[in-house]
Amino acid sequence: MTKNLLTVAVLLLAGTLFVSAADKTSYGKPLTLKERTKISAILADPAKYDGKRLQVEGPIVGVCEKRGCWIMIAGDKEKQSLRFKVDDGVIVFPMEIKGQNAVAEGVLSVTTVSTETLIEQGQKHAKESGEAFDPASVTGPKTVIMLKGEGAVVAKK
Amino acid sequence: MSVRWRHYNRALHRDIGYFSVALIIIYGISGIAVNHVADWNPNYSKSCEIIETAPFEHDERDSVVAEAMRKLGLTEEPLNYFRADDETAQLFYRGTTYSIDLPTGAVLRESNPPRPVLYEMNQLHLNHVKGIWTYIADLFAVALIFLGVSGLFVLRGRLGLAGRGKWLLAAGTLLPLLYWVWYTAS
């Protein structure tokens, strides 16, 4: 009897842990905003939204391969996308969500990265990835716009 | 009294040890895997293939998708489409991304399948699954502490804590301490 109960308990636990049939998967904290901001509007005037809490929506067109610490969300207009970055380990986005639709919420960060830092980052990335990097390809400082987030919902397609 | 205490200590050390073996192996293997995250991706393997096709004739979304499907022999519509820049269009399928260089027709087919078993081990070890696993992992951590401490008192005499055990315990304690001193000083 005890053995049977133990078996049932283990099976129930396994079921709780590994079975998820939901159409939507939530990552991190629940979304709180009611209104969404278009990525095209953010990119058109980032200074207007700098430091503000925003919710955006779009297809996931990139995922951090090593740590799952960011996703790239495509904008409502072609050739536009916005990085949604989370602190390492707080949320880990799996590669499988690439191509699915995300609603993500966070605070917009607009920073200017100096030429020296860009070269440093490029060299570090090249070393890690084994890809070639030409410092001459960095022509000047770059404005980096990203949504620093705590929560996202990904809808399975 | 002392004998009874040691008896229970040994019994608990043995049984909790048996119970923890699978978790210790999972956490140990995953620990090695994620320790070297700078050198490799412990969760996913990567496969890339360049497929040469003729330069794309179209530029508009629906036409690019149709042309790509025809050229690549794809039968299903993509989950999503993204025009990354003037020259690049991307088609997203479950587990596979096609990045098309429209002017040349070169297509990069990229997939990142999870590493079997290791992916699941890492998910558990790093508690990406969250939920109830958080508490199971906490209990496991407590069990590990118990195994460590109770292990000190399993044997008595020459092979016990009073014998060679104290030297090995001191060496194991000094290792992280000395490393940290060296790390902060250098």
Side-chain angles (χ1 to χ4, degrees):
Chain A
M1 181 64 181
T2 311
K3 196 178 171 185
N4 289 341
L5 281 173
L6 190 66
T7 307
V8 170
V10 169
L11 288 174
L12 281 173
L13 181 64
T16 311
L17 288 171
F18 294 109
V19 176
S20 172
D23 291 335
K24 290 181 178 179
T25 307
S26 295
Y27 295 90
K29 292 183 178 173
L31 306 181
T32 55
L33 297 177
K34 301 291 177 202
E35 278 185 28
R36 287 176 194 160
T37 309
K38 287 186 173 178
I39 288 176
S40 60
I42 296 169
L43 298 181
D45 189 3
K48 179 182 168 187
Y49 298 98
D50 190 13
K52 289 189 176 163
R53 190 169 193 85
L54 305 171
Q55 192 179 96
V56 299
E57 180 185 27
I60 299 164
V61 295
V63 181
C64 171
E65 288 183 16
K66 284 197 172 175
R67 298 180 195 276
C69 63
W70 54 259
I71 53 174
M72 211 65 159
I73 302 175
D76 47 294
K77 289 185 179 172
E78 284 195 337
K79 303 165 199 168
Q80 289 188 340
S81 59
L82 182 68
R83 190 186 300 267
F84 178 73
K85 173 81 177 80
V86 295
D87 288 337
D88 284 5
V90 175
I91 299 174
V92 180
F93 293 110
M95 292 295 293
E96 293 88 327
I97 62 172
K98 209 170 171 185
Q100 296 175 0
N101 286 330
V103 178
E105 195 173 299
V107 176
L108 194 80
S109 157
V110 183
T111 50
T112 303
V113 183
S114 69
T115 310
E116 294 75 24
T117 307
L118 285 172
I119 292 172
E120 215 171 90
Q121 287 174 346
Q123 286 169 336
K124 189 182 171 192
H125 175 74
K127 194 180 172 187
E128 284 181 4
S129 64
E131 293 169 9
F133 172 73
D134 179 11
S137 63
V138 180
T139 52
K142 186 181 167 188
T143 303
V144 177
I145 305 162
M146 68 169 81
L147 198 60
K148 289 188 172 177
E150 294 172 340
V153 174
V154 175
K156 288 177 185 166
K157 287 197 87 178
Chain B
M1 181 63 185
S2 171
V3 173
R4 183 173 291 177
W5 176 85
R6 283 188 179 274
H7 170 77
Y8 286 122
N9 180 66
R10 200 160 46 239
L12 280 170
H13 182 82
R14 178 196 64 213
D15 289 350
I16 292 174
Y18 284 140
F19 186 81
S20 303
V21 165
L23 285 171
I24 290 171
I25 291 171
I26 288 171
Y27 277 62
I29 291 174
S30 171
I32 295 169
V34 300
N35 216 14
H36 299 276
V37 70
D39 304 315
W40 77 318
N41 188 329
N43 289 309
Y44 298 94
S45 57
K46 187 171 186 172
S47 111
C48 294
E49 182 192 1
I50 300 279
I51 304 164
E52 299 290 352
T53 72
F56 274 62
E57 296 162 8
H58 303 97
D59 197 58
E60 185 263 332
R61 176 192 171 124
D62 291 347
S63 306
V64 169
V65 171
E67 192 176 347
M69 287 177 65
R70 181 173 52 78
K71 285 178 172 175
L72 299 168
L74 301 167
T75 52
E76 283 181 32
E77 288 281 328
L79 296 174
N80 261 312
Y81 168 93
F82 178 53
R83 186 63 182 263
D85 54 46
D86 285 339
E87 297 178 347
T88 314
Q90 290 182 305
L91 270 58
F92 298 94
Y93 285 84
R94 207 168 299 284
T96 304
T97 303
Y98 295 90
S99 299
I100 306 164
D101 188 56
L102 299 169
T104 65
V107 180
L108 173 63
R109 182 183 186 277
E110 206 177 341
S111 58
N112 296 81
R115 297 186 190 278
V117 184
L118 198 51
Y119 174 84
E120 287 79 9
M121 285 182 168
N122 293 336
Q123 296 299 300
L124 294 175
H125 171 218
L126 301 175
N127 191 21
H128 293 162
V129 292
K130 311 260 187 239
I132 201 169
W133 187 258
T134 305
Y135 305 103
I136 295 171
D138 285 349
L139 282 175
F140 174 56
V142 172
L144 276 182
I145 293 168
F146 176 79
L147 286 174
V149 175
S150 62
L152 297 173
F153 306 104
V154 167
L155 295 178
R156 302 172 77 173
R158 193 170 55 86
L159 299 177
L161 186 59
R164 62 185 291 179
K166 63 177 177 291
W167 301 114
L168 290 169
L169 174 64
T173 308
L174 280 173
L175 180 67
L177 286 175
L178 291 177
Y179 184 83
W180 188 253
V181 170
W182 172 80
Y183 175 75
T184 49
S186 60

